[in-house]
Structures are given as structure tokens and as C-alpha cells.
Amino acid sequence: MKNVRQDEWETLIEQDSNAVVLDVRTEDECAEDMLPNAVCINFFEREHFFDEMRKLDRDKNYYVYCRSGNRSGMACQLMESYGFENTVNLNGGLLLWKGDLK
């Protein structure tokens, strides 16, 4: 897992044609606002998270965020323990995000 700040996060995603952005907050949080093109998979609903994680392509690069960076860090660690080689955690999550949300 790589931990990055927003400026590096945006640069990495722009240059990565294999990027998938995951929002691991709750459905209610995702309904309020999200990063563009993100997929919402609630980390707190463990069984659902595992089910959805198993469907993901392990050859993709996953850019994972949450509200503060804690859940996304745990999600990245869990994903790596299941064979995902490329996970990137957004330090500070949306609390520190400066810019557009959808």
C-alpha cells in the first residue's frame, strides 16, 4: 500500500490507465458527495465488502479513500492480504480534499 497526499493522488490517477477509484465510506456518505468516477463499497459492511472485493480485477490499480484515511488504509491492507498488489491510500481522505466532488 502506498500512502499519498492529494497532489500525488491526482497525478498518479491522471497517468494510470489501469486506475479504479474506490470510496469505502457508507452509502449515506457516498450519497452526499464522492470523487468523480468512484465506486462506493462500504467497508463497514464486511460481508458485502468481501463479496464486492472478490469481484474486482486484481490486475487493476486501486486508489482507495474514505472520510479521513483510516478506513481506506485498512481496506488497502485487507485487499493486499487477498492478493491485490497495487493499492493507494489517500492520506487525510475527504477531510483534507481540496477540489470538486460530485
Side-chain angles (χ1 to χ4, degrees):
M1 168 181 58
K2 183 174 186 176
N3 289 298
V4 300
R5 291 188 305 255
Q6 180 178 348
D7 56 342
E8 186 176 359
W9 168 279
E10 291 175 309
T11 300
L12 288 170
I13 290 175
E14 285 176 13
Q15 298 172 353
D16 188 349
S17 62
N18 214 21
V20 176
V21 179
L22 292 181
D23 185 329
V24 296
R25 299 175 302 152
T26 66
E27 288 80 8
D28 288 342
E29 289 174 301
C30 289
E32 288 179 22
D33 55 21
M34 292 174 64
L35 293 178
N37 303 313
V39 176
C40 183
I41 304 174
N42 185 351
F43 184 71
F44 287 146
E45 290 180 1
R46 289 301 171 125
E47 190 171 322
H48 175 71
F49 185 81
F50 279 110
D51 288 344
E52 293 301 310
M53 183 180 66
R54 286 186 193 104
K55 297 176 189 174
L56 298 174
D57 182 348
R58 284 174 171 69
D59 293 327
K60 299 282 186 184
N61 302 319
Y62 291 91
Y63 296 81
V64 188
Y65 73 93
C66 64
R67 186 182 67 84
S68 67
N70 291 329
R71 277 178 279 182
S72 54
M74 290 186 289
C76 286
Q77 289 175 344
L78 183 64
M79 291 173 73
E80 287 184 352
S81 74
Y82 279 85
F84 291 85
E85 294 183 16
N86 300 307
T87 62
V88 179
N89 180 45
L90 177 62
N91 276 341
L94 291 187
L95 287 176
L96 299 180
W97 187 261
K98 308 256 189 282
D100 293 334
L101 298 170
K102 68 171 190 165

